[in-house]
Amino acid sequence: MKTAPRRTAPRLLVLLPALALTAGLVAGCSEGGSSDGASPAASASVEASEQVAENVGEFSYEGVDGKTALELLQEKDPDAQVQGKGENAYVTAIRGREADPETEFWGLYVDDELAQVGAGSLETKDGQTITWKLEEIEQ
């Protein structure tokens, strides 16, 4: 009986960020103290976890009374790419990850619920979690 060949590429995509995180932690732990007083291991793990989050296409931050989701996004990621302005703004890239306009978009969520208005119209509140998720366009 013949078995189907196993696909290893998806496993490699999962393992590579984990290996990079491990290597960063080991390298950070093996260095002496840092000049800024911060732990090298702590800074290595933060940088690596941000990279992993970027790879999976999700970015979150806390809401602030009186500020829109778009204003906060641009504060948290000054390099975010946006087409249009204000209520007509459309986010095309976050943390250097550009959505493929043919197959993807950045979806806006408030406390894990899909937002009913755009980022330029969405007034956030203290305590809310604003999350952008890279999603596939259903065809």
Side-chain angles (χ1 to χ4, degrees):
M1 179 186 222
K2 211 174 189 184
T3 59
R6 295 179 69 171
R7 299 173 78 197
T8 58
R11 285 188 186 161
L12 286 175
L13 292 175
V14 171
L15 290 176
L16 286 176
L19 289 173
L21 175 62
T22 302
L25 288 174
V26 170
C29 290
S30 66
E31 293 178 10
S34 66
S35 61
D36 65 0
S39 163
S43 62
S45 65
V46 170
E47 292 167 7
S49 65
E50 287 177 3
Q51 184 62 36
V52 170
E54 290 170 29
N55 287 341
V56 297
E58 190 169 303
F59 182 65
S60 295
Y61 49 87
E62 294 295 314
V64 175
D65 284 341
K67 290 201 173 193
T68 67
L70 181 61
E71 289 172 317
L72 291 173
L73 172 63
Q74 291 174 321
E75 286 177 14
K76 304 292 183 186
D77 180 12
D79 295 326
Q81 295 178 15
V82 179
Q83 292 180 351
K85 294 188 185 281
E87 294 177 357
N88 296 319
Y90 181 76
V91 175
T92 59
I94 297 175
R95 292 277 171 129
R97 176 57 166 92
E98 190 169 350
D100 178 343
E102 299 294 319
T103 60
E104 301 172 318
F105 67 97
W106 280 102
L108 174 60
Y109 291 80
V110 179
D111 296 329
D112 294 322
E113 296 287 327
L114 186 61
Q116 300 300 309
V117 297
S121 300
L122 179 66
E123 291 282 331
T124 67
K125 297 177 182 150
D126 291 342
Q128 289 180 322
T129 300
I130 310 302
T131 304
W132 292 89
K133 297 179 184 181
L134 188 63
E135 300 187 321
E136 290 188 26
I137 297 172
E138 294 182 18
Q139 299 191 18

